[in-house]
Amino acid sequence: GAGVSQTPSNKVTEKGKYVELRCDPISGHTALYWYRQSLGQGPEFLIYFQGTGAADDSGLPNDRFFAVRPEGSVSTLKIQRTERGDSAMYLCASSPSGGTQYFGPGTRLTVL
Amino acid sequence: AQKITQTQPGMFVQEKEAVTLDCTYDTSDPSYGLFWYKQPSSGEMIFLIYQGSYDQQNATEGRYSLNFQKARKSANLVISASQLGDSAMYFCAMREPSSGSARQLTFGSGTQLTVLP
């Protein structure tokens, strides 16, 4: 079956701009996670959705970051007023509730 | 304190040989899960193997096995009969109840494995 998909695969933007990153989870997976991975490091948790609601957003670094999952399937991570330090790989994962997380191919964000 | 420690930034192994990637963890929860993921240069994190803290036997999945030593808090990944396609970054990760309702994964810093022909 289809795995987790993420678009775009690469995004280059300028400092101060707004970006949206999209995640399409595995069909039927109720849990969805966003992680951020800086170069040479392991992924770090950003936010978790169970169904439509953000059940845990404790990993979001500041209020420039926001994510939605309006219909309990596709999720969008939104970053306002991007900064150079936001440059990273953004990974999305989905799981059956409490189960193993399966990751998408990621979006590599570069802020110039 | 680091939750997950991977002390080998890089490892080399000859094709067809076995290799062990080290992982130690730190938790006070009696119930937790340990995972290994592979990340090729393309970036996608590929799930390899899972070990639950209450599992009596070491997990195995094809050429992958997990050497779980609970008292030592180690969960080393063993890859048998290495193939050139095994060259990638390998991450150990832990899921524990105290991380909250999210049960998010906490990752180590990874080990870059290179398989030599």
Side-chain angles (χ1 to χ4, degrees):
Chain A
V4 178
S5 62
Q6 292 186 246
T7 55
S9 54
N10 279 284
K11 177 71 178 177
V12 180
T13 191
E14 293 180 344
K15 181 174 176 298
K17 299 287 190 183
Y18 168 83
V19 297
E20 288 189 353
L21 312 180
R22 176 190 165 109
C23 171
D24 204 335
I26 293 171
S27 177
H29 281 189
T30 56
L32 186 146
Y33 301 78
W34 284 97
Y35 292 82
R36 180 168 71 173
Q37 185 179 22
S38 299
L39 204 59
Q41 297 180 21
E44 293 180 324
F45 169 73
L46 293 176
I47 188 169
Y48 157 70
F49 290 88
Q50 181 61 252
T52 59
D56 187 337
D57 63 358
S58 61
L60 295 178
N62 52 61
D63 60 7
R64 295 187 298 105
F65 288 74
F66 187 72
V68 295
R69 192 186 186 198
E71 297 178 357
S73 179
V74 171
S75 175
T76 305
L77 179 66
K78 309 181 181 202
I79 310 174
Q80 298 178 318
R81 305 184 303 281
T82 52
E83 300 176 357
R84 291 196 180 88
D86 299 335
S87 295
M89 175 75 93
Y90 289 82
L91 293 163
C92 174
S94 72
S95 76
S97 186
T100 297
Q101 294 177 32
Y102 295 91
F103 284 79
T107 294
R108 188 170 298 282
L109 175 66
T110 303
V111 182
L112 300 175
Chain B
Q2 293 270 14
K3 289 273 188 179
I4 297 286
T5 303
Q6 295 181 254
T7 57
Q8 307 152 315
M11 288 281 286
F12 292 88
V13 64
Q14 209 68 40
E15 196 179 5
K16 299 178 186 174
E17 298 289 314
V19 63
T20 298
L21 306 183
D22 294 342
C23 172
T24 58
Y25 59 92
D26 182 25
T27 181
S28 55
D29 287 316
S31 176
Y32 51 89
L34 297 158
F35 299 78
W36 278 91
Y37 286 85
K38 171 184 178 181
Q39 189 176 42
S41 55
S42 59
E44 183 172 357
M45 299 283 283
I46 302 166
F47 166 71
L48 296 178
I49 195 166
Y50 165 79
Q51 180 85 43
S53 60
Y54 291 123
D55 293 344
Q56 294 296 313
Q57 296 192 329
N58 287 343
T60 60
E61 287 286 349
R63 293 186 301 110
Y64 304 108
S65 61
L66 204 152
N67 184 1
F68 181 46
Q69 298 188 41
K70 196 169 180 177
R72 299 176 67 178
K73 292 190 175 177
S74 75
N76 299 339
L77 177 70
V78 180
I79 305 174
S80 63
S82 296
Q83 302 172 357
L84 295 177
D86 294 335
S87 292
M89 195 74 161
Y90 288 80
F91 289 97
C92 180
M94 178 170 63
R95 183 180 67 203
E96 53 188 332
S98 60
S99 62
S101 63
R103 303 287 191 100
Q104 70 267 27
L105 297 173
T106 302
F107 286 85
S109 55
T111 295
Q112 179 68 48
L113 176 67
T114 303
V115 180
L116 303 171

